[in-house]
Amino acid sequence: MEALETRELRYFMAVAEELHFGRAAERLGMAQPPLSRAIQRLERRLGVVLLARDRRGVSLTGAGEVLLHEGRVALDAATAAARRTRRAGGADGPGGTRDRLVLAVKAAASHDLLQKLLAAYAAESGAAEIEVLPSGMCEQEEMLRDGRADVALMHSPFNSLAGFDHEELTSEGQIAVLPAGHPLAARAALTLADITDVPGLPHARWPRDGSYPPGPGPEIHDQTQLAQLIALGRTMAVFPESARAWLWSEHAAVPLTDAPPVVTHIAWPAHSRSAALAGLIRTATRL
């Protein structure tokens, strides 16, 4: 089987995503002719046509679709290996006395659990340094795959745990976070139907896979923006019960009686062999 180089994978990925050799060459910072030749060499080595070229433009063949998917996985793995190796090597460098782990968490989620975990792990002998990396909605998965994080707190059913090892830590209900002065805020409990299509109070929209879902609600970029828009009566949102920790006085939290429970997991790459990570997982499962 022919080996694939990361350089030629990056060349192919740029063309496959842009579907235009000129834009791909500009993105890569190179001229178009050598890019075209590199793709042709790759096709000859693999013995397949990856890109269909005609007067209408460039499109992916079936083989090209496969390489686009597999190439992303391979490049993420290569990038992750480099990032995690550099972090692990920091303990061997000048003044480096401890390993370092990056823990990805959704901003403002699992606040109490996170505090307990960090405190309990810091008390362990030989504990690694933990860098907490807040993320947006569902970004923890990508951070684990490309090596920006070594471990993450993830929440089903919102996060996909496919391809990761994981342990369940907690389960909790969900709440509707509303402007404090809204009539629904005075209710002791709500159902999902109660908060569907509320006049003047659309649900906030977070980006998923690089784009926002359709809807009338505002596009949310970060937690602070969301908190302010809720306080101003412009939107509402649904969160796990633990989100009460970051609410403002201008917010109200009302339990949702029929929302599915949110299960928090600690998740990590299935191939990890980090002793420091294993120690953090042991601590988490004892909480």
Side-chain angles (χ1 to χ4, degrees), residues 162-198:
F164 302 120
D165 284 341
H166 54 92
E167 291 283 350
E168 180 178 328
L169 300 182
T170 63
S171 180
E172 60 185 316
Q174 297 193 63
I175 54 174
V177 181
L178 307 157
H182 194 275
L184 290 177
R187 302 269 292 271
L190 295 166
T191 66
L192 291 172
D194 291 331
I195 61 170
T196 301
D197 296 326
V198 178

Side-chain angles (χ1 to χ4, degrees), residues 78 151 237:
V151 59

Side-chain angles (χ1 to χ4, degrees), residues 276-287:
L277 176 57
L280 179 63
I281 303 304
R282 286 193 298 271
T283 300
T285 56
R286 290 197 299 261
L287 292 177

Side-chain angles (χ1 to χ4, degrees), residues 32 55 72 77 99 152 163 198 210 235 273:
Q32 183 174 332
R55 282 175 291 184
R72 284 177 177 148
D99 288 334
V198 178
T235 190
R273 298 294 182 269

Side-chain angles (χ1 to χ4, degrees), residues 1-165:
M1 182 180 294
E2 294 285 355
L4 289 172
E5 298 178 1
T6 56
R7 175 180 55 83
E8 60 189 0
L9 270 180
R10 293 186 193 281
Y11 286 178
F12 169 74
M13 295 288 290
V15 180
E17 290 171 354
E18 298 289 345
L19 292 178
H20 191 281
F21 276 90
R23 289 194 299 268
E26 183 178 352
R27 169 174 152 182
L28 292 165
M30 63 187 298
Q32 183 174 332
L35 175 60
S36 298
R37 291 194 294 270
I39 299 299
Q40 290 168 357
R41 286 195 299 270
L42 176 60
E43 289 177 319
R44 286 196 298 270
R45 284 180 50 223
L46 294 176
V48 296
V49 176
L50 299 170
L51 299 164
R53 308 158 177 85
D54 57 33
R55 282 175 291 184
R56 291 176 297 177
V58 178
S59 60
L60 286 168
T61 65
E65 292 279 2
V66 170
L67 187 58
L68 176 61
H69 171 74
E70 298 291 343
R72 284 177 177 148
V73 174
L75 289 176
D76 279 349
T79 301
R83 285 172 169 160
R84 292 191 176 110
T85 299
R86 283 195 293 269
R87 280 201 293 275
D92 301 325
T97 57
R98 292 197 296 171
D99 288 334
R100 182 166 68 94
L101 294 173
V102 176
L103 170 61
V105 298
K106 188 170 75 172
S110 304
H111 181 72
D112 291 340
L113 174 64
L114 180 59
Q115 282 191 320
K116 291 175 183 176
L117 173 58
L118 294 176
Y121 181 65
E124 296 285 341
S125 175
E129 176 187 352
I130 302 295
E131 177 185 341
V132 177
L133 184 61
S135 69
M137 181 72 73
C138 297
E139 286 183 345
Q140 304 100 305
E141 304 155 45
E142 184 180 348
M143 290 177 170
L144 283 183
R145 290 193 174 97
D146 68 14
R148 282 177 289 166
D150 302 293
V151 59
L153 293 183
M154 296 166 69
H155 313 276
S156 61
F158 306 114
N159 293 122
S160 171
L161 296 163
F164 302 120
D165 284 341

